[in-house]
Amino acid sequence: MLFLFRHKAAALSPFMLLLLGACAYVTPSQPAAPPLPALAKPAPFSAADAVFVQKLNTMDLAQIGMANIARTHAARNDIALVGETISKDIGVLQARLAKVAAAHALTLPAQPSGPEQKQIERLQRWQGAAFDRHYIRYFTATHAKIKPVLASQIATSQNPDLVAIARDVQTRLADYQAVMR
């Protein structure tokens, strides 16, 4: 009798597998997955925005280089402290600017260009009060050059990230200049 049971079990096994397999296809289907959200498009970026980003990057790199020198060459303690603050603050703004540029496939240099590097090297020759005079003169001239560019960017750009960066730079430069007087 045990033989018959084994025989029936062996004969029923393929039938059971077929039945179980069919039940798997009859189960209710899961709801369709919702569509993926559209990729967020970066804010519009015009040719003027690209020029602004490049100008600001050039100025930022020069400011960071000069500020690093000010930390060690300044006679006035407030200029040394402003140099340290500029180095940190502009470094953070530089990272934000690089992120916006990368979103628009714009590559920014990481080192100052030739004229800015020469200016940094010239300033590095000075120490004490002479350094302070030259640094303040350089900073004032740079601020005067970039001020209308920042104002124009704030007024005309359609890119809210660049407008925010321009406002931050404008505010910080005015604060630094107030301390250096």
Side-chain angles (χ1 to χ4, degrees):
M1 175 109 128
L2 188 58
F3 174 73
L4 287 176
F5 180 72
R6 281 189 195 164
H7 186 311
K8 286 182 185 178
L12 290 178
S13 290
F15 177 71
M16 293 297 278
L17 288 175
L18 183 64
L19 185 64
L20 288 174
C23 290
Y25 290 110
V26 178
T27 58
S29 64
Q30 294 184 359
L36 293 174
L39 294 175
K41 290 184 180 179
F45 205 69
S46 67
D49 289 338
V51 169
F52 169 74
V53 167
Q54 291 170 344
K55 282 183 182 180
L56 188 58
N57 181 61
T58 300
M59 186 207 70
D60 285 350
L61 293 174
Q63 288 291 338
I64 290 170
M66 300 284 191
N68 288 334
I69 297 168
R71 292 167 35 186
T72 58
H73 288 60
R76 290 175 34 191
N77 193 35
D78 59 335
I79 291 181
L81 290 174
V82 166
E84 188 172 329
T85 304
I86 288 173
S87 183
K88 288 177 189 173
D89 292 349
I90 300 293
V92 169
L93 288 170
Q94 184 69 16
R96 284 175 52 197
L97 188 66
K99 184 178 176 184
V100 170
H104 297 283
L106 187 64
T107 305
L108 299 176
Q111 298 296 323
S113 63
E116 284 76 21
Q117 186 61 39
K118 286 180 183 177
Q119 184 69 26
I120 291 169
E121 290 168 3
R122 253 184 266 141
L123 192 64
Q124 205 166 16
R125 295 181 207 151
W126 301 100
Q127 291 282 340
F131 172 84
D132 293 349
R133 282 192 309 279
H134 285 88
Y135 182 66
I136 291 170
R137 190 176 307 139
Y138 168 80
F139 189 86
T140 303
T142 302
H143 186 241
K145 285 180 192 175
I146 200 72
K147 193 174 182 179
V149 175
L150 293 169
S152 173
Q153 185 67 23
I154 291 168
T156 61
S157 180
Q158 299 295 316
N159 189 306
D161 296 330
L162 288 180
V163 171
I165 289 171
R167 282 194 176 118
D168 286 349
V169 170
Q170 192 177 43
T171 302
R172 290 174 195 263
L173 289 177
D175 292 344
Y176 304 148
Q177 192 167 25
V179 171
M180 285 190 207
R181 290 182 189 240

